[in-house]
Amino acid sequence: MSDVMTAPRAKVEEKLFQNRYLVDAGRPHIKVRPHTTPSASLLSMVTLCPAGCYSKSESGQVEVAADGCLECGTCRIVTRKTGEVEWNYPRGGFGVLYKFG
């Protein structure tokens, strides 16, 4: 059996920890538009976002903390029809810095 098959595998969380994120203070690239009741699509982002950027507040509103966003576009696709998420690429030099490409 080869060494590749027997070597311990790194967990996804361990690999993600290697990435770095340069925060553009005061200029988040993701914003949740004001809403009284979040749609099912927006609520699903609390569990679907791979970086865990979305959370539900005590008042039932969905909030986003763009720090640590992987810029994968999941929120753009999921909320495409409702338009509840405003997403733009971060300014040059800011955002996620992938260690493994």
Side-chain angles (χ1 to χ4, degrees):
M1 196 177 282
S2 71
D3 290 334
V4 174
M5 299 297 286
T6 59
R9 294 181 150 226
K11 294 181 180 178
V12 171
E13 293 82 7
E14 292 169 356
K15 288 185 178 184
L16 289 175
F17 182 74
Q18 299 295 317
N19 298 330
R20 294 292 171 246
Y21 192 87
L22 186 57
V23 177
D24 192 358
R27 295 185 64 169
H29 70 284
I30 303 172
K31 296 177 186 174
V32 175
R33 294 198 170 123
H35 55 280
T36 52
T37 305
S39 70
S41 297
L42 185 57
L43 278 172
S44 70
M45 287 311 306
V46 174
T47 55
L48 290 177
C49 177
C53 293
Y54 290 82
S55 62
K56 190 173 177 183
S57 69
E58 291 179 10
S59 63
Q61 302 293 302
V62 174
E63 301 172 340
V64 64
D67 304 359
C69 173
L70 299 174
E71 300 170 26
C72 66
T74 300
C75 56
R76 292 178 72 183
I77 294 167
V78 172
T79 61
R80 177 180 68 236
K81 292 181 182 176
T82 65
E84 292 169 291
V85 172
E86 181 182 329
W87 194 99
N88 295 294
Y89 285 104
R91 289 189 307 154
F94 293 95
V96 67
L97 307 168
Y98 289 105
K99 179 167 183 161
F100 297 110

